[in-house]
């Protein structure tokens, strides 16, 4: 993680600092008892990244499954590319908004766009299978 260090002249330099926080006891098993208690905790930045990753898994896995079925329906190449690019763009922006803690509704709108893409592809799959 990079942290900014301010100077008296308003300049910033960056340094690499290690986050000393562990969630599992086995990760600090070789440390002394006092140090183990300090290290065995959660860190807000780590938790934010964990939640972002969890959200990606909850959205990308269904998209990949629906996308595979969608590709098997033989869509127009331009329509398929549009679906895939819009979804990828919305998820990239969602990750940036999540990690960067951008104000809402930026993250919510990017999530809705990705959801609409998945729904659109699902509709195409169901309309082909059920002949809607």
């Amino acid at each position: 993680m990079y942290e900014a260090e301010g100077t008296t002249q308003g300049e910033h330099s960056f340094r690499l600092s290690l986050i000393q926080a562990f969630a599992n006891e086995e990760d600090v098993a070789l440390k002394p008892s006092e140090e183990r208690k300090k290290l065995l905790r959660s860190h807000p930045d780590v938790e934010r990244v964990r939640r972002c990753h969890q959200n990606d898994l909850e959205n990308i896995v269904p998209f990949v499954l629906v996308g595979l079925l969608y590709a098997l329906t033989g869509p127009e190449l331009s329509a398929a590319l549009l679906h895939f690019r819009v979804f990828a763009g919305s998820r990239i922006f969602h990750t940036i908004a999540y990690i960067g803690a951008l104000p809402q509704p930026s993250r919510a709108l990017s999530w809705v766009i990705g959801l609409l893409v998945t729904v659109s592809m699902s509709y195409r799959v169901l309309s082909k299978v059920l002949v809607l």
Side-chain angles (χ1 to χ4, degrees):
M1 167 182 195
Y2 289 99
E3 293 182 5
E5 290 181 353
T7 62
T8 57
Q9 300 171 349
E11 298 174 1
H12 293 285
S13 64
F14 291 91
R15 67 181 168 87
L16 182 64
S17 66
L18 298 173
I19 296 174
Q20 293 289 317
F22 298 92
N24 302 313
E25 285 195 34
E26 62 269 15
D27 296 336
V28 293
L30 299 177
K31 303 282 184 184
S33 180
E34 303 86 35
E35 190 177 353
R36 197 178 312 156
K37 291 176 184 174
K38 285 191 282 185
L39 295 176
L40 199 56
R41 61 185 171 84
S42 63
H43 191 278
D45 292 336
V46 174
E47 286 302 309
R48 177 172 285 281
V49 171
R50 186 191 61 76
R51 289 189 309 268
C52 181
H53 184 257
Q54 181 66 35
N55 189 280
D56 280 342
L57 287 174
E58 291 169 357
N59 289 277
I60 293 172
V61 171
F63 171 80
V64 169
L65 296 174
V66 170
L68 176 63
L69 295 173
Y70 174 75
L72 293 174
T73 65
E76 292 278 330
L77 180 59
S78 60
L81 284 174
L82 180 66
H83 279 97
F84 297 150
R85 287 176 179 166
V86 169
F87 183 83
S90 73
R91 291 311 303 175
I92 289 169
F93 182 76
H94 184 273
T95 298
I96 291 169
Y98 210 127
I99 300 298
L102 297 180
Q104 287 287 22
S106 60
R107 194 172 80 219
L109 289 175
S110 63
W111 175 80
V112 167
I113 290 169
L115 179 66
L116 290 175
V117 169
T118 305
V119 168
S120 172
M121 292 190 315
S122 299
Y123 178 79
R124 163 76 183 210
V125 169
L126 290 174
S127 67
K128 282 288 189 177
V129 171
L130 302 175
V131 191
L132 296 178

